[in-house]
Amino acid sequence: MSTHRKPADLRTRAIHAGSRLPESSAVPITPAIHAAAVSWFDSADELDAALDGKDFVYTRIRGENPVLLEEAVAALEGAEASAVFGSGMAALRAVFDAQGLAPGDRVVLPADGYGATRALFKRLADQQKVELHPLKLSDPDSVERLVAIRPRLVLAESMTNPLLLVPDLPAIAHAAHAAGAALVVDGTFTSPCLQPTLAQGADYALHSTTKWINGHSDATGGVVSGSHARIDPLRGARVLEGALLGPFEAWLTLRGLRTLPVRMAAHSTHALHVARRLREDGRVARVLYPGLPDHPDHATARKLLHGGYGGMVAFEIGGAGRAESFRFLEALRLCRPAPSLGDVTTLVMHAASASARRLTPEERAAAGIGENLIRVSVGLEDPDDIAEDLLQALQAVARS
Ligand SMILES: *Cc1c(COP(=O)(O)O)cnc(C)c1O
């Protein structure tokens, strides 16, 4: 009897050939991108265990690239575990939902924080009949007010957007815990490298990885870190709700994270230089940089930030309204007028019409965000080139 087997049909060969690598003990310097949404096993018992999340079988349950990114973020945060999400907003929503809030429960959030977060929390609070209490957490009396509110959940931002105010996290954590609340700290502006928010009392350390952690504006993502007890329920909810980070995005974000510590050190040095040069210019009414001694929260920033004051600088153009601020953006030649932060490129934004766009004019006024406020995410170009571009654009506004 012939042992010869009929060669498989071309359609079958096209689908099954080239699907397993030869045995190898090589470890690639850069991890592979695991694009497969589903995997199979020779052993049905292994498949059975994988469906409980013990191995990789279906990426909504557990994906290779997200797991590697989670391991790296947890290592930077000094956390037991991390969970990555498809965006920073998805991460914020997951943390809010995980609290199991009941009607009448109270949530504290920054009065001067990220506008989209405020809008999201408003929506979730309306749906769940929860009370929102915005507080300017960098005000010294906010700790006392927080205690009086008796919240179940407190959200703080490590450095607020766009005024770069720095709340005293250990004091807020103490008050939140005394009231029985969980504290989530959105550390997007400082990154895990400059501020260890878990060590300063946060229960959840959250970041939009779209910003500094990725660093190259080529993938959206979010991450939350903390104890196993805090993070496991977020992962469980993610399996059902599907707020995943895709394999390519996780891979790009991990690639960016490799240089986060050296980037943050350089961004901080460049930002201090740019802030000092802006302060010397008479057309600038006010410069806000936590690394400058005259910043209202310089002392707190000195206590809580390590290895630099971050890459964000804000300033006010003397006498400018919206029209002059827009002309300033259009006069930039090197810096990009783009509404984000954390890139190797310098990104410049008009705060009132971009990050604070979703606030009402009254909320903007209360937060101290005027039409002449410009926010700069200082990049890794030559810091003098960055400063000179900003100064020549100010000159163009003054001339027009
Ligand atoms: C950008 C940002 C977010 C939202 O993150 P996305 O990745 O855009 O969803 C949340 N908080 C802060 C402070 C941010 O800057």
Side-chain angles (χ1 to χ4, degrees), residues 108 135-149 167-168 172 175:
V108 165
L135 284 185
K136 197 169 166 195
L137 291 168
S138 50
D139 281 351
D141 71 349
S142 66
V143 169
E144 220 169 283
R145 294 173 62 195
L146 191 156
V147 173
I149 291 166
D168 187 349
I172 289 165

Side-chain angles (χ1 to χ4, degrees), residues 3-20:
T3 56
H4 175 76
R5 287 172 54 213
K6 171 167 90 75
D9 181 278
L10 270 183
R11 290 170 297 182
T12 303
R13 276 193 266 167
I15 287 171
H16 288 274
S19 54
R20 276 201 204 212

